[in-house]
Amino acid sequence: MSEHAHRSLALAALFVFASGSICSSDTEAGDPSDTPLAHGNAVVTTGSCPADNKAMQATQLLLSALGGSLDVTPSCGDYKREIATGVTLDQPTGNPATWNKLGGRGERLAEAGLCLLRDLANDPDGRIENFAGTPTPFGDVSIRQRVGYIDFDPVAKRFDGWQDVSICAPVMGCTVAQRQQFSATLRRSSPALPSGLAAGDYPIADAFSLEVDAQESGFELHAELPAITVVTPYGPVSATPELDYGSKLDVIDTPFDGKPEAERLFGSSYWIPLEDTYGRWGTPFHTSITLYPGSGWSSQLGLGARVGTPDGPLWNPDPSDPHLNEFDMSIARSTVERSPTVYFSAGAEITYAPFDILPAALRSFPFSTTFSITVKPSISSYYAAQLLLLAREAQGPPGDVGSSGISQSEFHVATGARAEARLIITVSLKLKITVDLGIYTEDVVDLTPTFDIPVASGSALADPAPHAFAVARLGALDPNIGELHTFSGQGSTNPDGFVQACLTKPSQQGTIPEPVYTPGDPQDLATDEFPCNICIYVPPISALDMGFQVYTLSPYGSPGWRCRQAANGCMDLCSLDPATQQFTGIKKSAPEFVGPRCLYDPPA
């Protein structure tokens, strides 16, 4: 068993002991240090959505402006959990005192985290932004994430902020898809519980955390839009676009799908195994336990998701090498985190029946023929945005993690946004030819091929994305902020002075922008790509003493493959000039999306 596994078992044993003490009578009922939040549990409530959910209102108004009929399923709630920031220490009991290089920085780290958030007010607009976009043949798909300041109470040490996600997509247009208000409040257990623990010779004094309270909301809708006109190779037809839309802004926590504890990238170049913890009861154990070299703890919440596609990149480590960069927003750490913050899809079935292009012999006695072609252009877009709040602490001696070792705590406020688009054209052919001689009936052709043809895809990740952090170092009784990177760029030369000023200056009131929307155009779905060079094979018909027949319908250009029995149902996809209703080029060849059977000599 590895040292890491031994340490995990030791911590598990301590937490079993601790959870037993929670239910004892050692702590008085109502003590704020003995609450579910203090113990590290999440408190989640659900209920009806408020009438002033402006993001939902904006989306509903947008769809109404497009003329759609709506079917909305809303869900709303609230999520609370404490991000642990560590402990403070008392005077040592030994002389000379020994210290395991953990603890002492809990209060200062919590204050630094609050001030990183308050620094949002130093931006002229009181917010930071991320943008990512990718083009498609139907128009651009993009996401804009904004994180902003509402208020800060220096007495209560509470920050109030907001996050919203705006998207743009063809057909739909642009809207504020999600908006979330959240707060972070410093919490303190004095003394730290359970009591009697120490970091070497330094008794643990108080335990600290930031209690995060965030709104959660989501809704889904289906809309049927007014009909559009599409020009086909055989004249204009009417099609009814339909769209599906959903958004969900939840809070993501650990463990990530129960995966093995990760070695996290700590500082700039050290990989250190960090145990996940929450609340004020966890860090005293992590601080006091006899730790193996190069170890510590991590506490984090992600407001929102990463990646946003069900088949996107997912962290799936080898247990022997479980490395994880927490700030790589291009990889989701769990299937829940991979879920989209917003998704959107739209399509329209364009059906036409070019009966006249069939040979005359198949359109008269003794044949009864039905024939239609359906082309369905559809676009799917996925969006993800996350605000990551993360505190962590680690230690390691010289030679284990660098020449000088490491003993530090960190608080990070990181952001990320991603958009992805996929455009496909689904082509369906229905051809049924029946010989009907009265006393004799036979279906000689019953052809119903359907092909999903990828037309375009693309993704974009906001880069660089705003990322602020504070690093606390030095001794057990002398914590300071040794390094500070704020969103505004302030405070880097005097980090402790910046934090002190943040905690004492009067509060200023921020504002939340009103959500806006811009309707799109359902006519975006009017494709100019249609089937051509459609291969039809009619087998011999003994009742008519007729041999087999091969026909190429809607011919254009030189297909590069030959119509024959093996290629029955093969077709190309051609571009069309709507003004002349004439094909102008082959966009996709049959072997690309139907398969090798369309080729002259398909692979064995």
Side-chain angles (χ1 to χ4, degrees):
M1 185 179 293
S2 66
E3 286 186 343
H4 183 209
H6 277 299
R7 179 167 53 83
S8 297
L9 287 175
L11 283 169
L14 277 173
F15 275 109
V16 169
F17 173 79
S19 63
S21 68
I22 291 171
C23 299
S24 71
S25 58
D26 295 340
T27 305
E28 292 181 3
D31 188 329
S33 296
D34 191 14
T35 64
L37 289 171
H39 282 281
N41 297 312
V43 176
V44 182
T45 58
T46 58
S48 59
C49 294
D52 62 349
N53 189 316
K54 294 187 176 182
M56 191 180 299
Q57 291 174 359
T59 304
Q60 290 176 316
L61 290 171
L62 171 68
L63 269 298
S64 296
L66 292 173
S69 56
L70 306 178
D71 177 18
V72 181
T73 306
S75 62
C76 292
D78 185 81
Y79 179 102
K80 293 181 181 179
R81 200 167 195 180
E82 292 186 10
I83 295 176
T85 61
V87 301
T88 54
L89 304 176
D90 276 339
Q91 293 296 326
T93 57
N95 188 15
T98 61
W99 179 46
N100 65 1
K101 294 188 176 182
L102 290 173
R105 299 177 284 247
E107 182 175 20
R108 202 58 171 161
L109 193 68
E111 293 173 340
L114 286 174
C115 291
L116 290 175
L117 291 168
R118 184 176 187 176
D119 178 62
L120 291 166
N122 292 323
D123 185 279
D125 295 323
R127 62 177 182 260
I128 55 172
E129 292 191 7
N130 271 327
F131 177 83
T134 185
T136 79
F138 287 175
D140 291 347
V141 166
S142 64
I143 182 172
R144 186 180 303 276
Q145 175 197 29
R146 302 186 296 180
V147 181
Y149 169 92
I150 298 177
D151 197 9
F152 183 79
D153 186 336
V155 177
K157 293 186 177 179
R158 173 189 168 104
F159 168 84
D160 286 277
W162 59 275
Q163 175 184 205
D164 70 14
V165 178
S166 300
I167 67 160
C168 290
V171 182
M172 182 174 183
C174 300
T175 186
V176 176
Q178 269 289 359
R179 174 161 289 172
Q180 174 187 59
Q181 291 184 221
F182 67 96
S183 65
T185 306
L186 191 147
R187 299 300 186 198
R188 176 179 195 151
S189 289
S190 183
L193 294 175
S195 59
L197 300 177
D201 290 330
Y202 291 84
I204 293 176
D206 299 340
F208 295 84
S209 69
L210 286 184
E211 179 188 313
V212 175
D213 185 351
Q215 295 174 341
E216 294 186 312
S217 65
F219 61 100
E220 298 179 346
L221 62 84
H222 175 83
E224 187 173 289
L225 304 182
I228 60 174
T229 298
V230 182
V231 177
T232 75
Y234 305 98
V237 300
S238 179
T240 301
E242 295 187 15
L243 65 83
D244 289 284
Y245 173 93
S247 69
K248 193 171 183 62
L249 193 51
D250 284 345
V251 179
I252 307 297
D253 52 22
T254 60
F256 301 118
D257 286 351
K259 292 170 183 173
E261 197 65 47
E263 291 193 10
R264 324 283 177 96
L265 184 63
F266 199 92
S268 60
S269 58
Y270 306 140
W271 289 98
I272 299 177
L274 303 179
E275 301 283 348
D276 291 313
T277 189
Y278 291 95
R280 284 162 276 158
W281 281 67
T283 47
F285 288 116
H286 288 291
T287 303
S288 64
I289 194 170
T290 302
L291 294 172
Y292 290 93
S295 54
W297 55 265
S298 175
S299 189
Q300 61 178 299
L301 293 174
L303 279 60
R306 302 184 182 188
V307 181
T309 55
D311 56 355
L314 181 65
W315 176 59
N316 192 19
D318 182 332
S320 65
D321 186 27
H323 292 113
L324 171 64
N325 182 351
E326 304 279 16
F327 310 110
D328 184 356
M329 295 286 181
S330 67
I331 299 176
R333 299 165 294 176
S334 68
T335 52
V336 173
E337 190 174 53
R338 189 170 60 175
S339 302
T341 305
V342 186
Y343 72 85
F344 165 77
S345 64
E349 288 193 352
I350 303 160
T351 299
Y352 54 103
F355 194 70
D356 290 345
I357 70 174
L358 292 171
L362 299 179
R363 292 183 277 127
S364 58
F365 181 83
F367 294 102
S368 172
T369 302
T370 57
F371 178 46
S372 67
I373 297 172
T374 298
V375 177
K376 182 180 180 181
S378 58
I379 183 168
S380 299
S381 54
Y382 306 88
Y383 310 85
Q386 185 176 89
L387 168 64
L388 177 67
L389 305 177
L390 182 149
R392 58 188 187 177
E393 182 175 57
Q395 59 82 15
D400 186 66
V401 284
S403 59
S404 59
I406 191 171
S407 173
Q408 69 185 46
S409 303
E410 300 176 357
F411 197 99
H412 293 260
V413 182
T415 60
R418 183 179 183 274
E420 180 170 332
R422 302 174 184 178
L423 177 63
I424 67 171
I425 292 180
T426 301
V427 177
S428 300
L429 174 69
K430 293 183 179 180
L431 175 62
K432 189 171 184 178
I433 302 175
T434 302
V435 174
D436 188 355
L437 298 175
I439 61 173
Y440 170 81
T441 301
E442 179 185 1
D443 293 335
V444 294
V445 174
D446 192 356
L447 194 60
T448 59
T450 296
F451 306 109
D452 291 326
I453 308 171
V455 176
S457 63
S459 63
L461 182 71
D463 185 27
H467 180 173
F469 61 89
V471 178
R473 300 190 180 98
L474 293 186
L477 301 178
D478 185 25
N480 77 342
I481 305 300
E483 186 179 357
L484 189 70
H485 293 262
T486 63
F487 293 120
S488 68
Q490 301 179 24
S492 60
T493 58
N494 182 12
D496 275 302
F498 177 86
V499 172
Q500 193 59 36
C502 155
L503 297 173
T504 56
K505 67 181 180 182
S507 176
Q508 68 269 49
Q509 190 71 29
T511 58
I512 306 177
E514 286 294 315
V516 296
Y517 64 91
T518 304
D521 186 356
Q523 198 68 32
D524 290 339
L525 289 170
T527 182
D528 61 355
E529 297 181 12
F530 296 90
C532 59
N533 299 319
I534 304 169
C535 177
I536 302 299
Y537 171 80
V538 180
I541 305 173
S542 58
L544 300 179
D545 194 23
M546 188 177 83
F548 75 88
Q549 305 290 321
V550 175
Y551 304 99
T552 298
L553 309 181
S554 297
Y556 175 80
S558 301
W561 54 278
R562 180 168 54 86
C563 183
R564 63 203 190 285
Q565 181 178 0
N568 190 25
C570 290
M571 64 186 75
D572 292 331
L573 191 68
C574 284
S575 54
L576 182 78
D577 181 353
T580 63
Q581 296 179 210
Q582 298 296 313
F583 290 124
T584 59
I586 297 176
K587 295 295 292 290
K588 292 275 187 177
S589 178
E592 294 181 66
F593 61 89
V594 179
R597 69 179 179 86
C598 303
L599 297 172
Y600 287 111
D601 298 306

mmCIF file of all heavy atoms in Angstrom, residues 93-94 240 574:
data_model
loop_
_atom_site.group_PDB
_atom_site.id
_atom_site.type_symbol
_atom_site.label_atom_id
_atom_site.label_comp_id
_atom_site.label_asym_id
_atom_site.label_seq_id
_atom_site.Cartn_x
_atom_site.Cartn_y
_atom_site.Cartn_z
ATOM 1 N N THR A 93 3.874 24.479 23.101
ATOM 2 C CA THR A 93 4.066 23.866 24.429
ATOM 3 C C THR A 93 5.475 23.320 24.603
ATOM 4 O O THR A 93 5.881 23.004 25.721
ATOM 5 C CB THR A 93 3.061 22.720 24.615
ATOM 6 O OG1 THR A 93 3.223 21.765 23.552
ATOM 7 C CG2 THR A 93 1.640 23.254 24.577
ATOM 8 N N GLY A 94 6.234 23.170 23.563
ATOM 9 C CA GLY A 94 7.579 22.626 23.654
ATOM 10 C C GLY A 94 8.636 23.692 23.435
ATOM 11 O O GLY A 94 8.376 24.754 22.864
ATOM 12 N N THR A 240 -41.338 23.958 -40.667
ATOM 13 C CA THR A 240 -41.593 24.502 -39.327
ATOM 14 C C THR A 240 -40.402 24.203 -38.414
ATOM 15 O O THR A 240 -40.179 23.051 -38.044
ATOM 16 C CB THR A 240 -42.862 23.889 -38.720
ATOM 17 O OG1 THR A 240 -43.973 24.176 -39.571
ATOM 18 C CG2 THR A 240 -43.127 24.467 -37.336
ATOM 19 N N CYS A 574 -25.110 18.154 -52.528
ATOM 20 C CA CYS A 574 -24.696 19.238 -53.412
ATOM 21 C C CYS A 574 -25.165 20.588 -52.883
ATOM 22 O O CYS A 574 -26.200 20.691 -52.209
ATOM 23 C CB CYS A 574 -25.271 19.035 -54.817
ATOM 24 S SG CYS A 574 -24.424 17.771 -55.777
#
